[in-house]
Every structure is written in C-alpha cells, then in structure tokens.
Amino acid sequence: MSHSSASHDDVPALQGTLLWVSAIILAMSNFFAVLNMTIANVTQPNMAGALGASTSQGTWIITAYAVAEAITVPMTGWLTSRFGGVKVFSFAVFMFGVASLLCGMSTSLNMLLLMRVMQGMAGGPIMALSQTLLLRIFPKDKAMMATGLWAMTSLLAPVCGPVLGGWICDNYSWPWVYMINVPLAMLFGVLSWPLLKRYEDPLVRNRMDVVGFLLLVVWVASLQIMLDEGKDLDWFASDEICTLAVIAVVGFLSFVIWELTEEHPIVDIRVFRHRGFTASMVVLALAFGCFFGLNVLTPMWLQSNMGYTTTWSGIVVAWGGLLSVVFSPIAANLSNRVDSRWLIFIGCSWLGCDTLWRSFASPDMDYWSICLPLLVMGLGMPMYYIPITGLAMGSVEEKEMASAAGLMNFVRTIAGAFATSLVTTFWQDGRYVAHDQLASVVDPAGELSTLITSMPAEAGLMARDMFNNMVTGQSMMLATNSLMQTIAILFFVAAFAIALAPRASRSVDAASVGH
C-alpha cells in the first residue's frame, strides 16, 4: 500500500549497483509469490496422486494458496502501519521460503494444504509491498521503469509457472516444485532488510480490526470449502454443504455491516460507493476468473484427453502469456490516450471470441491447432487488465487509493480461487452427463451391448473397455467444449458490463498504481 509520505521524500533514491540489486530482490520476490499461484496448475494431479488423493481433491492445492493469499492482502495496510513495510516484506519473504520447504517435505495432502495456506499468507504481503517499495527506491523520473519491472514479473510468472512445474514433475519429483523457492526466498528475506531499512515507514499504532478479519476468514473459507467439496458431496443434498452455505451468507452480511461501521476497517468497503470502482471490480472478477479458469482447464484436458505430459501441457499453457508480455507496454500507452472503457470492452470481447474459437476443439487436433488460439489470446489480456486498473483507481478519491489497490488484489485472487473450483466441478459433471448421453446415442437399441454379452468373457471385456474408452474420450472433449462456450459467454458479459462505469473522475497513470 502506498504510504509515500513526506518522510520518504528526504531519503534519497538508491543509485547504481545497490538500486539494481534491491530492484531484482523486490521483483523476484513478487515473481515467486505470483509463480506459486500457477505452478501447481499442471502438477496438482501428480501431487494428489503421490499423496493418495483424487484429482478433484488436488484442486485444493491451488485454492488453499489463493484463498490464504487473498485474505492477507487486505491486512497488509494494517501490518505496514504497525510494524513497518520493509520489516513486513523481509519477514514475509523469509517465511515464504520456510513454508515452501515444509510444502516439499509434506507426507500427506492435509499437511501439504496447511503449508500451502502458510505459503499463501506470506505471499499476500509480498505482492502488495514489492510494488510500493519498488516505486520508493527508484528516482521519481524512473517510476515508469519500476512499474514496468513489477508488471513484467506479474505477467511473466503465471506463464512460467506451468512450464517450470511440468518440467520439474516430469524430470524430478513434485517436492522440487516447492524446494526451488527455498534458497532464494531465504536469501532475499535476509538481504532485503539491510538494503531497504532506510525506507521504513513511520509506525502508527492503529488497533487491528480483529472482528472484521475473523469474519472475512469465516465467509471466504466457508464459501471456498463449499465450492471445493460440493461436487463430491452432491451439493445441496448434503447437510454439510447447506451448513457451509448458511455460514458463508451470514458471515458475508455480518462482515459488510461490521466493516461499514468500524472506524479502522480491515477492508474499506466504502470505496464501493463509487460506481466506476464497483463496475471495474465486477468486470475484473468475471474476466480474471474466466482467464484463470481457462488456465486450469487446459492442462487437465490435455493430460487426461490428449495424452500430453505435464511438461508439454505446461508449454501449451505458456503460449497464452507470450504476447501479453510483449503487448503490455502498448496497452499501458493506449490507456493513457483512449477512454479506458473502450479498451476494456475490446479486450474482453477479444478474449470471448478467442474462447469461442477454442470451443470447437476435437481429439485429433495437432499441437499448433491447440497453441494458435492460446497465442492470440495473449493480445486480449493486457487490453483489459491494464486500463481497468487506471479506471478503478481514477474512480476513487486520492486518499482511498491504497485501500482500493488492496481490494483489487483481493478481488483478483479470490476470483481465481473460485473459478478453479467451479471449472473443475462443471468439467467433472459435464463429463458424466456427456458420457450418459453418448452411450445412449451410440447404441440406442442396445444391439452393441447384446453383441458384447454374447462374446466369450475375455473378448467381451476387451470390447466393452474399448467402447467405454472411446465414449469417455469423446465425452471429455464435449465437456471441455461446452465449458469453453460458457466461459466465452461470461467474457462477453464482462465486456458489456463495463458500460455501467462512468468515465474516470480523474486520470491515473495505469503504470503508477497497484495491479
């Protein structure tokens, strides 16, 4: 959160080697925090399998980290004012290394999930503070460079995650996916304090909004557990799911009422009174959720249906981020000149059209037919992601920008976690439905099953398996395609929803704000 008060203006910016060493530490720490959101996307089936859990339970490996990270993002402002931003950052980076070490040493799914929560809780403040501190150590005239460096690591990390995770899993073993964080995180944690302590914030002893924090944890956690468990417990037919739903709703309403009446709220919900900010958050939640969901769905489909290895499915997913890294500076430039709302509309529509294109996939597609739409998708991502930041921040008052930036990170991370659960649920359900329908379409009169029954036992078994495998393969493909169509429609909804936002009341350089 930016507290660039007068107290920092008399501290000179860093120069030369010191500046670059500090910048690399800050940017790389952010890189690791973001990388760990996606590094498990392609490897979670391996991890779940190795720990004796099902693939649907493996989804927890992704969501546990995202939820923990989302919950600590709003706390960063309070932690910074209480203990100082540099101290919080150094401690968070060091703890990230410790949690990664324990993730790699996990012997059961429960232990891994607990350590992923710890890792996510350290990741939240790293994302929020790495940017504030980068803007603080660079001279004012190089602020654009500082943000460029930060945005680059934020966009590159989700691309590298699946490739790196897949390659490690195929060539070594899954614990190394976490172990690679350990030496650098611990080193950065130790080095960042002596390098950056001159930029420490003056401390303010605000008391912590404990009730608000607990209510936030309760409603977010119960909603997430409900989404993750629903598919295994047959949704609202289960008492547990109904209980979780009630807790989530009551928790959410209590949280909103409490935060609106609290003097120092942990999440300043009052910024939602600005129509522009609210509309931006709706669009961000929809579009980012869809994008994250696609990145979870693609490797699952490639590995279970197309026979791709973990490494190759990671490489396919990486194509999706290639052009977005190249196109980001152009989008930032455009968003300073053109009405952000048009750019967001074009960006979301572009992603919608691209996802529609992808929904006509077939099991005999070659590598390039799969990669081309993913590559093209990279153009749409920065087109909506960068201008929406400027629009959201330009819609709130100057003094609310830190709260708004924190909320934006929170919305984005939670949207990713919810989307992961929903995509795996609908994909699994869609497969079963399609399987039933296909089996009756392929053999409506039951002639094939009569023929199989009349065969000798072994041949009959082989024929049944062959038939079942064909139907299963096709039903996975159908489930994937229909989910792609749903996601495409949601992208179009997001594109039109931006019309609800008025023009930003003041212009904010998209590059100078927390993404």
Side-chain angles (χ1 to χ4, degrees), residues 56 59-60 63 221-246 248 417-430 432-433 483:
S56 65
T59 318
W60 285 74
T63 56
S222 40
L223 183 56
Q224 186 61 50
I225 294 168
M226 183 185 110
L227 291 173
D228 275 339
E229 289 278 82
K231 57 184 173 296
D232 300 329
L233 298 176
D234 194 20
W235 293 101
F236 292 103
S238 137
D239 291 345
E240 186 188 324
I241 296 295
C242 295
T243 313
L244 284 167
V246 172
F418 288 174
T420 304
S421 302
L422 291 171
V423 161
T424 38
T425 301
F426 287 122
W427 190 62
Q428 209 173 342
D429 293 351
Y432 298 145
V433 173
L483 200 50

Side-chain angles (χ1 to χ4, degrees), residues 74-138:
M75 281 180 67
T76 308
W78 178 81
L79 288 169
T80 301
S81 60
R82 189 70 195 262
F83 302 104
V86 181
K87 268 198 207 74
V88 172
F89 178 79
S90 303
F91 180 72
V93 175
F94 188 79
M95 286 314 291
F96 190 81
V98 174
S100 299
L101 179 67
L102 294 168
C103 277
M105 289 162 66
S106 297
T107 49
S108 67
L109 184 68
N110 288 345
M111 180 180 170
L112 177 59
L113 293 177
L114 199 65
M115 295 308 130
R116 278 287 278 178
V117 167
M118 185 171 146
Q119 199 190 21
M121 290 185 87
I126 296 174
M127 278 167 54
L129 287 167
S130 56
Q131 189 188 11
T132 312
L133 292 169
L134 267 171
L135 285 169
R136 217 174 271 173
I137 65 169
F138 271 83

Side-chain angles (χ1 to χ4, degrees), residues 10 65 85 89 116 169 206 227 266 310 338 374 386 396 419 458 475:
D10 45 19
Y65 181 81
F89 178 79
R116 278 287 278 178
C169 245
N206 277 347
L227 291 173
I266 192 150
T310 323
V338 186
L374 272 157
I386 291 173
V396 302
E458 208 164 303
S475 58

Side-chain angles (χ1 to χ4, degrees), residues 65 127 197 210 220 265 288 340 360 430 488 504:
Y65 181 81
M127 278 167 54
K197 64 180 175 198
V210 181
V220 172
F288 191 81
S340 310
F360 292 101

Side-chain angles (χ1 to χ4, degrees), residues 71 148 300 334-335 368 412 441 502:
I71 287 171
M300 286 198 309
L334 275 171
S335 64
W368 287 111
R412 188 190 65 185
V441 170

Side-chain angles (χ1 to χ4, degrees), residues 268-472:
D268 189 3
I269 308 182
R270 295 182 191 92
V271 293
F272 279 113
R273 70 180 187 282
H274 303 288
R275 198 174 87 210
F277 182 77
T278 308
S280 303
M281 289 306 98
V282 169
V283 173
L284 179 72
L286 275 173
F288 191 81
C290 288
F291 176 72
F292 204 84
L294 281 175
N295 279 352
V296 173
L297 176 64
T298 308
M300 286 198 309
W301 163 62
L302 289 172
Q303 285 174 57
S304 53
N305 200 14
M306 306 293 283
Y308 275 58
T309 60
T310 323
T311 308
W312 276 103
S313 53
I315 292 170
V316 171
V317 174
W319 282 103
L322 206 62
L323 283 179
S324 64
V325 176
V326 178
F327 206 66
S328 283
I330 303 168
N333 212 335
L334 275 171
S335 64
N336 290 333
R337 298 187 185 159
V338 186
D339 184 347
S340 310
R341 295 172 303 172
W342 279 108
L343 287 178
I344 296 163
F345 176 77
I346 293 166
C348 290
S349 305
W350 181 279
L351 291 169
C353 293
D354 189 82
T355 313
L356 261 186
W357 176 18
R358 289 179 62 187
S359 74
F360 292 101
S362 67
D364 47 9
M365 287 172 87
D366 63 355
Y367 175 74
W368 287 111
S369 314
I370 298 172
C371 293
L372 189 63
L374 272 157
L375 179 69
V376 173
M377 188 169 185
L379 290 174
M381 192 60 192
M383 280 288 275
Y384 94 86
Y385 189 57
I386 291 173
I388 209 164
T389 307
L391 181 64
M393 297 302 151
S395 305
V396 302
E397 291 165 24
E398 193 90 37
K399 63 175 188 293
E400 295 173 323
M401 277 177 68
S403 304
L407 255 174
M408 198 158 174
N409 270 322
F410 173 75
V411 167
R412 188 190 65 185
T413 315
I414 281 289
F418 288 174
T420 304
S421 302
L422 291 171
V423 161
T424 38
T425 301
F426 287 122
W427 190 62
Q428 209 173 342
D429 293 351
R431 270 162 44 193
Y432 298 145
V433 173
H435 193 286
D436 281 356
Q437 289 171 341
L438 275 179
S440 58
V441 170
V442 175
D443 189 21
E447 290 163 8
L448 188 66
S449 51
T450 316
L451 182 70
I452 290 174
T453 323
S454 66
M455 286 179 174
E458 208 164 303
L461 205 62
M462 276 174 66
R464 186 182 294 273
D465 277 353
M466 208 171 90
F467 174 60
N468 190 41
N469 289 344
M470 275 166 53
V471 174
T472 304

